[in-house]
Amino acid sequence: MKTLQHYIDGRWVSPIEPGSVFPVINPADETQVAEIRMGSAADVELAVAAAHRAFASFASTPLDERLEMLRRLKAIFVRRIDEMADAITTEMGAPHDMSRDAQAASGPDHIEATLVAALQLDWETRIGTSNVVREPVGVCGLVTPWNWPINQIMAKVAPAIAAGCTVVLKPSEQAPLSAQLVAEFIDEAKLPPGVFNMVHGTGPAVGHAMSAHPLIEMMSFTGSTRAGIDVAKTAADTVKRVAQELGGKSPNLIFADADLERALGNSIRRCFYNTGQSCNAPTRMLVERSVYEQAVHIVRRLAEATVVGDPRLPGKHIGPLSSRIQFERVQAYMQIGIDEGARLVTGGPGRAQGFERGYYVRPTVFADVHNQMRIAREEIFGPVLAMIPFDSLEEAIEIANDTPYGLAAYLHTSDMSKAHAVARRLRAGSVHINGAGQGYAEPFGGFKQSGNGRECGAYGLLEFLELKSINGYYAA
């Protein structure tokens, strides 16, 4: 069993102050696989000092040298992809195939998208006699979640390095094994000491110290809306830049003219993917009333055909939830749905059949939900779908937008003119028409309480850059 250390100034180090020990639990069998000696504000101080010392030199490093560092990092990522996949499966329960092909693969894919964006970006622009240049923000604090650990780490680390920033990362204490490997990869890629630093710990201890630190000039946070609010409030005292990717309760509009089997099949897969632990999951299914009962019947069949299995085995099944806390939270919401009077179509409270250990839950569908129920308004973060009928296009859009969130939205129709019109009226950062996916170059982020700023490709790179106008740079 590993005891995980911090990575500061190019070295593996133990916490400065003796602190609590956090057990890392495998959600598939509830066994302990590692432990973390949790960090404190003192460790943050050490990491920020290292990043601050490294910044001036790294910021002035030519772009092609910074990009070459990323290419080395990508090559290591690809070579050690199986290690990364195993770590993600062990720490948060993503099934083997998904862990390798989606979770771990997002690391090198984010690096490649950043490389392309950096080479295409206009780093300097002449406007009259002025030269408008892009420069790195400075020392950046990165806080990442457990549900897509590498996706979120590399969506921040890759553009920060390309921009010339130095960073302090606080990964989720629930999913630290993948972050530990990232630090190993960066060490092997020989990035200059202090460019990348990592401190393990809780949000209230380590995350708060980062948000409040006067030498950190930007906080990039992914997590719950509640925690994001705390980050923004703490960061406000030092007027630092804050970029946030927060919660979601994404609507999925199913119109009567859609190919129901195809639309509902895609919708169920997306809702239950990663065991429902994705902030952009389509968890509110709005169905036109004329096909509503038919849709409920199809969804029940599809949900009951969803296999729950051991994440260490290959296959297209879903795995356990990530932790006991998450398991209990999802169980509570299932009971809330029943108590609110929603029709339980399939699933419900209790462990998935065949499991006595591990945080396995039943894929669950509620019908006859209305948009004021808690299961329709609050982010559950599990394989739980709420089905809501609608009578008109206007009502569908009204229900879809009646949420404090705005991360993603989905719609299915055979009428592309209608699809285009509806997509423009949905208040969300990403809209998916008829099951279309999203790549690593398109901007990812939300409206309203789903956050601010964007990640991925050129849009993610710009978050880590400042604009400077050098007036009189060119002779009149």
Side-chain angles (χ1 to χ4, degrees):
M1 185 174 65
K2 290 183 177 181
T3 298
L4 306 183
Q5 293 182 295
H6 308 323
Y7 184 81
I8 298 175
D9 207 16
R11 297 180 298 114
W12 296 100
V13 297
S14 298
I16 294 173
E17 302 171 354
S20 61
V21 176
F22 187 89
V24 182
I25 304 298
N26 184 333
D29 57 17
E30 303 180 52
T31 60
Q32 184 174 345
V33 294
E35 64 181 17
I36 309 170
R37 304 285 178 176
M38 300 294 267
S40 66
D43 301 296
V44 171
E45 190 66 43
L46 193 67
V48 173
H52 183 65
R53 285 194 302 271
F55 174 69
S57 174
F58 189 64
S60 63
T61 300
L63 175 64
D64 60 348
E65 292 184 26
R66 300 199 301 269
L67 298 188
E68 184 57 34
M69 294 176 196
L70 284 177
R71 292 187 187 96
R72 294 200 301 269
L73 180 59
K74 179 187 172 184
I76 295 164
F77 232 114
V78 170
R79 175 167 51 82
R80 299 180 65 179
I81 198 80
D82 288 328
E83 290 177 68
M84 183 61 76
D86 288 344
I88 295 171
T89 294
T90 300
E91 69 189 0
M92 58 78 62
H96 175 274
D97 291 0
M98 182 231 181
S99 186
R100 189 183 193 283
D101 299 338
Q103 291 267 12
S106 66
D109 286 347
H110 272 301
I111 294 173
E112 181 59 29
T114 298
L115 290 168
V116 171
L119 289 171
Q120 294 177 346
L121 182 67
D122 290 329
W123 292 82
E124 300 190 8
T125 304
R126 179 172 179 171
I127 302 177
T129 62
S130 298
N131 191 18
V132 179
V133 300
R134 300 188 185 274
E135 296 184 355
V137 168
V139 177
C140 298
L142 316 178
V143 179
T144 57
W146 50 261
N147 62 319
W148 282 88
I150 290 306
N151 183 73
Q152 293 309 127
I153 289 174
M154 294 314 300
K156 301 178 192 300
V157 170
I161 289 172
C165 297
T166 58
V167 305
V168 178
L169 168 68
K170 189 207 87 66
S172 170
E173 61 272 27
Q174 291 184 30
L177 303 179
S178 52
Q180 201 81 0
L181 279 176
V182 168
E184 285 186 25
F185 296 177
I186 285 174
D187 191 73
E188 185 179 341
K190 300 190 184 309
L191 269 67
V195 168
F196 173 89
N197 307 273
M198 180 178 70
V199 178
H200 293 292
T202 65
V206 171
H208 181 87
M210 290 167 61
S211 298
H213 203 291
L215 293 181
I216 288 183
E217 296 179 79
M218 174 182 174
M219 287 296 297
S220 180
F221 174 85
T222 301
S224 71
T225 297
R226 175 193 54 77
I229 291 169
D230 290 340
V231 168
K233 286 181 176 179
T234 307
D237 287 339
T238 49
V239 200
K240 55 173 58 73
R241 180 181 296 188
V242 177
Q244 299 174 315
E245 194 265 283
L246 307 176
K249 193 70 179 179
S250 300
N252 181 12
L253 284 61
I254 310 293
F255 290 96
D257 61 1
D259 180 336
L260 280 188
E261 282 284 348
R262 182 175 180 180
L264 296 174
N266 175 272
S267 299
I268 284 292
R269 284 191 298 274
R270 282 181 178 254
C271 182
F272 293 166
Y273 193 57
N274 205 32
T275 320
Q277 299 169 126
S278 298
C279 49
N280 62 343
T283 52
R284 284 190 300 147
M285 181 182 284
L286 283 54
V287 184
E288 195 161 1
R289 195 176 298 275
S290 62
V291 295
Y292 179 71
E293 286 301 332
Q294 182 184 355
V296 171
H297 177 76
I298 295 171
V299 165
R300 176 175 182 169
R301 169 168 51 81
L302 294 170
E304 291 178 349
T306 301
V307 177
V308 180
D310 189 328
R312 292 162 291 196
L313 300 176
K316 294 185 179 298
H317 54 285
I318 65 174
L321 293 171
S322 66
S323 66
R324 179 178 296 279
I325 291 174
Q326 195 63 21
F327 178 85
E328 293 173 350
R329 172 186 172 88
V330 172
Q331 295 291 307
Y333 269 109
M334 290 177 180
Q335 188 59 52
I336 287 169
I338 294 170
D339 295 342
E340 288 182 317
R343 183 190 354 160
L344 180 60
V345 175
T346 188
R351 269 197 173 88
Q353 187 173 4
F355 294 95
E356 295 182 358
R357 292 180 61 81
Y359 307 125
Y360 300 92
V361 298
R362 301 169 181 173
T364 296
V365 177
F366 286 101
D368 304 344
V369 177
H370 62 73
N371 210 42
Q372 300 313 308
M373 291 182 178
R374 289 183 62 187
I375 59 170
R377 301 201 69 79
E378 300 176 14
E379 188 173 38
I380 298 173
F381 234 55
V384 181
L385 176 66
M387 298 185 70
I388 304 171
F390 68 85
D391 291 302
S392 67
L393 185 149
E394 291 300 322
E395 184 187 17
I397 294 172
E398 181 181 356
I399 295 172
N401 289 336
D402 180 18
T403 171
Y405 298 110
L407 187 57
Y410 303 76
L411 66 98
H412 293 80
T413 176
S414 61
D415 183 343
M416 289 307 294
S417 295
K418 179 166 65 178
H420 295 164
V422 171
R424 289 183 179 275
R425 295 178 63 186
L426 295 174
R427 298 284 295 165
S430 300
V431 179
H432 303 263
I433 297 174
N434 292 333
Q438 184 162 341
Y440 291 96
E442 292 93 344
F444 185 79
F447 290 14
K448 300 186 282 186
Q449 291 186 29
S450 287
N452 51 68
R454 293 295 182 267
E455 293 184 321
C456 300
Y459 305 94
L461 179 57
L462 291 173
E463 294 289 337
F464 291 91
L465 292 167
E466 291 280 18
L467 281 173
K468 176 187 287 183
S469 294
I470 306 177
N471 305 302
Y473 188 91
Y474 299 102

